[in-house]
Amino acid sequence: MTTAGPTSEMHWSRWGDPAEAGPLPESAFALVDAFLGTSETPAVAPEDVRLSDPLADELVAELAEIVGSEHVLLDHETRLHRTRGKSTPDLLKLRHGDGLDSPDAVVRPGTHDEVAAVIAWGVRRNVALVPFGGGTSVVGGLAARREGYAGVVSLDLIRFDRLLEVDHESMTALLEPGLRGPQAEALLAAEGLTLGHFPQSFEYATIGGFAVTRSSGQSSAGYGRFDALVVGLRVATPQGTLELGTAPANAAGPDLRELVMGSEGAFGVVTAVRVRVRRLPDVKVYEAWRFGSFAEGATAMRTLAQAGLLPTVIRLSDEAETAINLARPDAVGGESSGGCLMIAGYEGTAETVAARRTACTGLLADLGGTNLGEEAGQAWAEGRFHGPYLRDSLLDVGVLVETLETAMFWSRLEEVYAAVKQALTGALGESAIVLCHISHVYETGASLYFTVAARQADDPVAQWLTAKAAACDAIVAHGASITHHHAVGQDHKPWLAQEIGPVGVMILRAVKDRLDPTGILNPGVLIP
Ligand SMILES: Cc1cc2nc3c(=O)[nH]c(=O)nc-3n(C[C@H](O)[C@H](O)[C@H](O)COP(=O)(O)OP(=O)(O)OC[C@H]3O[C@@H](n4cnc5c(N)ncnc54)[C@H](O)[C@@H]3O)c2cc1C
């Protein structure tokens, strides 16, 4: 089997490949020091992180009977690596030695039947099960509530790493959920195919995680959100197996796939995902454009989307993000000559790329854009997965960095943008840096993705939670969605209830109560 991407586990207290962990580049350090001030803020040693007590011996022995003793792990390192996700509060808690949300054991079933048996065991023994894909959740999706349970076990899908079937005629593939982004792409590439799903967490996030969080990748304009790629699902639930997606489209009642996508492990464990695939592109071209303002660039994006002429990748940084050059995440503090930077990328055959590029170029120029050429676009493409590593280097020097996102219709996008910015600066102080970009667009609207940097207060977790709550309040007050692609987890629950209202909450609870009556699947996550 071909595999690709980082082969190591993620760093226990940082984003990504441990080999990539490093200090801030000197030029960036000087800039950050001047704007926010710095102070060394090292993490504790991994062996000093306090974890929950390991699972009771009797329960461990029962699990071992189901999956084999080599697939039940209790050691500190394995449990530490399965503790929470990768939001800034998650990282800060670990850096300070708090790992009390750790699983009491990690179980690694290898087949659908073993997953089903582990679920049945969890029900029998009242043990909470937390499905674990890549561990990249940024919304508290992996920190189950433990009160009332005999233990909390991480149900790690790492052994589900195969491409099961390819249907070249229908252009679909059946993938196992534990495949990380690069592994899935490598397996599909061997068949001349691609999923085209490249979220910033691509290196570590998994197929199952993409499906149940309704992820959206950087090429969503061309390939679609992940939920638009899923044609079928196999799910193990406490009530039995759910198999969905027998035809390309149907009118057979409400689409139950939609109930599973976005369910974040609270309704069942996804053990196979059938996806739509595309041919590997022959050509990939990325170029940069400058617009006079964020509003002008957003109008250009809307015009393209409504003309049905979107590039494969399209993103627009606001003035602040352009100035700080986070549109090129590998180079903080590059020269900026004002305005707002847009990246437009085209993928496909030589003919389709040429045709689409010509049409988009004409429209973008007519709408006031200045073409900056391919160099800046290529630099974005090369640095596209490096941004998150920078967050850790900033945490090391006492700077708080975190992101949040939302989505709104075009007619109220600017209003939401202003309200969220104001909420964040109001909570964090005028010295806080608030950057924003648009990276997912539709005919009807777009998502806004904010990046925030501020000097860490004495309690940086509380500092961020206050700012995040202010931003979430502003989001719902202005009618926008609490999340465009990060999902709900524990963190967005209160605002989800406001977004979907009491009847929506009732439906979610009813499904949960019927599928998982003892509530052992990811307790505390998703359901308000
Ligand atoms: C630096 C960074 C960048 C990110 N960029 C993006 C981005 O560009 N776009 C985007 O959409 N998201 C992004 N995210 C968020 C995150 O990567 C996504 O939510 C991703 O889809 C989670 O996948 P995962 O495999 O890591 O899932 P995990 O984090 O392991 O799990 C997420 C949730 O799904 C459940 N779950 C996982 N696998 C299964 C399964 N097989 N069956 C049932 N439940 C399951 C878990 O219990 C948990 O509740 C980013 C996160 C980080 C840290």
Side-chain angles (χ1 to χ4, degrees):
M1 188 210 342
T2 337
T3 56
T7 46
S8 58
E9 284 248 55
M10 253 203 281
H11 192 288
W12 66 275
S13 67
R14 304 170 83 92
W15 168 254
D17 187 349
E20 298 278 320
L24 270 185
E26 250 173 58
S27 57
F29 180 84
L31 193 81
V32 173
D33 200 31
F35 276 98
L36 296 171
T38 56
S39 56
E40 239 181 83
T41 315
V44 302
E47 56 277 15
D48 293 336
V49 179
R50 278 170 303 125
L51 303 185
S52 63
D53 291 337
L55 196 68
D57 290 347
E58 187 192 352
L59 296 173
V60 172
E62 289 173 9
L63 267 183
E65 268 184 34
I66 300 171
V67 296
S69 54
E70 68 277 31
H71 300 306
V72 185
L73 298 121
L74 298 170
D75 62 284
H76 185 89
E77 197 187 337
T78 307
R79 294 200 294 130
L80 179 62
H81 277 96
R82 300 290 175 274
T83 302
R84 305 193 189 96
K86 292 289 176 186
S87 70
T88 297
D90 290 342
L91 300 181
L92 286 168
K93 285 180 196 165
L94 282 180
R95 291 170 72 99
H96 288 110
D98 169 4
L100 292 172
D101 285 329
S102 68
D104 308 340
V106 175
V107 62
R108 292 179 169 162
T111 63
H112 176 88
D113 289 348
E114 283 184 3
V115 170
V118 170
I119 292 175
W121 168 85
V123 171
R124 246 183 356 260
R125 302 303 251 142
N126 190 35
V127 174
L129 299 174
V130 183
F132 189 98
T136 69
S137 169
V138 281
V139 291
L142 296 162
R145 197 185 62 231
R146 61 173 56 244
E147 297 77 43
Y149 296 94
V152 175
V153 168
S154 177
L155 195 161
D156 189 347
L157 290 145
I158 195 166
R159 291 172 65 207
F160 284 79
D161 63 353
R162 290 174 306 159
L163 168 60
L164 297 173
E165 278 172 38
V166 179
D167 178 345
H168 282 276
E169 201 174 346
S170 312
M171 291 296 277
T172 64
L174 187 63
L175 297 168
E176 287 195 316
L179 282 167
R180 289 177 182 167
Q183 291 177 308
E185 282 295 334
L187 290 167
L188 289 171
E191 303 280 336
L193 302 170
T194 180
L195 258 174
H197 185 68
F198 303 106
Q200 205 179 34
S201 52
F202 172 72
E203 291 171 302
Y204 284 90
T206 61
I207 296 296
F210 295 148
V212 299
T213 60
R214 302 178 61 209
S215 165
S216 194
Q218 293 168 343
S219 312
S220 63
Y223 295 98
R225 299 164 56 90
F226 198 79
D227 46 15
L229 303 181
V230 173
V231 297
L233 293 153
R234 183 184 303 146
V235 192
T237 81
Q239 305 303 337
T241 295
L242 188 60
E243 292 269 5
L244 297 166
T246 53
N250 67 63
D255 192 340
L256 295 179
R257 288 173 310 177
E258 296 289 348
L259 204 58
V260 175
M261 292 191 287
S263 64
E264 302 183 51
F267 293 163
V269 179
V270 171
T271 59
V273 185
R274 193 177 296 280
V275 285
R276 193 149 65 95
V277 288
R278 308 298 197 342
R279 303 214 185 288
L280 269 180
D282 303 324
V283 177
K284 293 183 182 181
V285 196
Y286 305 96
E287 58 186 8
W289 289 78
R290 183 185 304 120
F291 282 85
S293 68
F294 197 42
E296 262 180 49
T299 302
M301 285 176 136
R302 174 169 60 80
T303 309
L304 288 187
Q306 292 175 348
L309 267 181
L310 282 171
T312 313
V313 173
I314 186 152
R315 43 197 297 125
L316 173 73
S317 295
D318 71 355
E319 288 82 353
E321 187 172 290
T322 300
I324 223 162
N325 212 1
L326 272 183
R328 276 185 56 190
D330 58 327
V332 169
E335 291 280 315
S336 167
S337 37
C340 289
L341 186 70
M342 177 186 282
I343 302 292
Y346 305 89
E347 299 181 8
T349 62
E351 297 78 43
T352 55
V353 164
R356 180 63 49 129
R357 191 179 179 189
T358 305
C360 291
T361 300
L363 260 182
L364 290 172
D366 286 351
L367 291 159
T370 307
N371 194 327
L372 303 179
E374 289 181 30
E375 202 183 319
Q378 204 47 44
W380 169 81
E382 279 160 21
R384 64 199 287 189
F385 302 124
H386 288 301
Y389 292 98
L390 200 57
R391 169 177 59 164
D392 299 301
S393 315
L394 288 162
L395 292 178
D396 286 341
V397 297
V399 174
L400 175 80
V401 186
E402 182 57 307
T403 64
L404 63 88
E405 40 81 57
T406 179
M408 192 36 166
F409 296 113
W410 289 115
S411 55
R412 293 185 69 186
L413 198 68
E414 212 171 327
E415 168 196 329
V416 173
Y417 169 66
V420 174
K421 255 181 100 161
Q422 198 183 15
L424 288 167
T425 359
L428 292 167
E430 288 298 324
S431 63
I433 297 171
V434 180
L435 317 172
C436 184
H437 66 247
I438 296 175
S439 49
H440 306 278
V441 298
Y442 307 91
E443 283 173 60
T444 50
S447 78
L448 293 169
Y449 187 94
F450 294 88
T451 302
V452 182
R455 190 160 170 64
Q456 283 183 29
D458 289 345
D459 182 348
V461 173
Q463 178 191 17
W464 173 247
L465 294 184
T466 305
K468 174 87 189 263
C472 292
D473 286 345
I475 285 170
V476 294
H478 289 267
S481 177
I482 194 59
T483 173
H484 170 264
H485 58 263
H486 279 169
V488 177
Q490 298 258 11
D491 300 356
H492 290 149
K493 264 195 321 182
W495 294 278
L496 175 71
Q498 292 181 57
E499 184 167 330
I500 62 176
V503 177
V505 171
M506 187 190 73
I507 294 170
L508 286 183
R509 286 189 186 154
V511 174
K512 174 77 174 173
D513 287 350
R514 285 311 284 249
L515 277 179
D516 179 24
T518 60
I520 55 132
L521 290 176
N522 223 355
V525 166
L526 177 67
I527 316 292

